[in-house]
Amino acid sequence: MKLYFNPRSRAVIGKWMLDEAGVEYEIVPIDLEKKEQKSPEFLKVNPAGKLPALVDGDARVFENAALCLYVADKYPQAKLAPRVDAPERGRYLSLMVYSTSQLEPSMGDHMAKLPLLPQRGWTEYAQTLDAVERELGDGPYLFGDWFTAADVMIGSMFIYQRMLGGSTGRPKLEAYVDRLQARPKGLKLR
């Protein structure tokens, strides 16, 4: 497997997932200043010209949620996702999609101090925090004691927010982020 990577990109999320899965992979450095992600060769890997991108034999995967889903399913021994036939699978898939369809854009609006425009399709930031707190429940992770790829995706949003000087302002969620960053392979951004 090859992870196209720059440490100042969202590819750090894909790397976190691969590290949690304990799989071997090769880093393919991409120089963003030289716009290597826009080269014809790279556009064959990711037509959007962005990181992350993963190549595994003939398979190519781009976008962090897709990469996390792919790795978790390909390496079930890592136990980073419920089995396809498990009752928890629906909730897991929902959380994976929620991370990029609701949490990330509402957080972006919140941090940029933009007004909520309901026609854009996502809810207000406070409501996304409420939803994540409900899903977190009393467990250290979204599935209780079980760390999954959903924690990589949901947690990475909060870690990025913290890196940019923001906070949820909610002790339960801040403690969750602390636990994620304390993991031996956890995402630690500066």
Side-chain angles (χ1 to χ4, degrees):
M1 264 195 283
K2 294 180 180 182
L3 176 67
Y4 291 77
F5 182 81
N6 184 292
R8 294 178 321 195
S9 74
R10 292 172 183 234
V12 297
I13 299 168
K15 183 179 185 316
W16 180 19
M17 180 65 187
L18 289 163
D19 290 344
E20 290 283 356
V23 299
E24 290 186 27
Y25 61 95
E26 173 188 343
I27 293 279
V28 179
I30 297 293
D31 189 326
L32 300 175
E33 291 179 17
K34 292 181 180 176
K35 299 196 184 298
E36 290 177 349
Q37 75 279 15
K38 303 297 183 187
S39 70
E41 298 80 23
F42 184 80
L43 292 173
K44 291 176 186 171
V45 176
N46 183 349
K50 298 183 73 157
L51 296 176
L54 180 76
V55 173
D56 182 20
D58 291 334
R60 65 185 177 95
V61 184
F62 52 94
E63 294 299 325
N64 277 312
L67 189 153
C68 288
L69 289 163
Y70 180 84
V71 170
D73 287 348
K74 179 164 179 147
Y75 299 98
Q77 66 275 19
K79 297 185 173 139
L80 292 168
R83 294 181 331 271
V84 173
D85 61 348
E88 302 89 1
R89 184 69 176 198
R91 180 171 168 258
Y92 163 77
L93 292 172
S94 297
L95 287 166
M96 294 294 287
V97 172
Y98 192 80
S99 69
T100 59
S101 69
Q102 296 293 316
L103 179 59
E104 183 178 14
S106 71
M107 182 183 288
D109 282 357
H110 170 77
M111 292 180 72
K113 298 180 180 13
L114 297 174
L116 174 68
L117 298 174
Q119 63 269 31
R120 293 197 326 214
W122 50 85
T123 190
E124 39 184 10
Y125 180 62
Q127 291 176 333
T128 61
L129 297 181
D130 292 343
V132 174
E133 280 187 319
R134 281 191 295 272
E135 289 299 308
L136 188 56
D138 293 328
Y141 303 114
L142 292 164
F143 285 84
D145 290 331
W146 182 16
F147 176 87
T148 69
D151 293 297
V152 171
M153 286 305 301
I154 296 279
S156 65
M157 301 299 134
F158 294 127
I159 292 168
Y160 265 105
Q161 180 183 37
R162 187 179 277 183
M163 177 197 74
L164 295 171
S167 166
T168 64
R170 298 192 181 192
K172 184 177 186 175
L173 293 177
E174 292 304 312
Y176 171 59
V177 176
D178 290 342
R179 284 189 298 277
L180 293 173
Q181 290 192 291
R183 291 181 65 77
K185 296 175 184 174
L187 181 58
K188 294 160 184 74
L189 299 173
R190 295 181 181 95

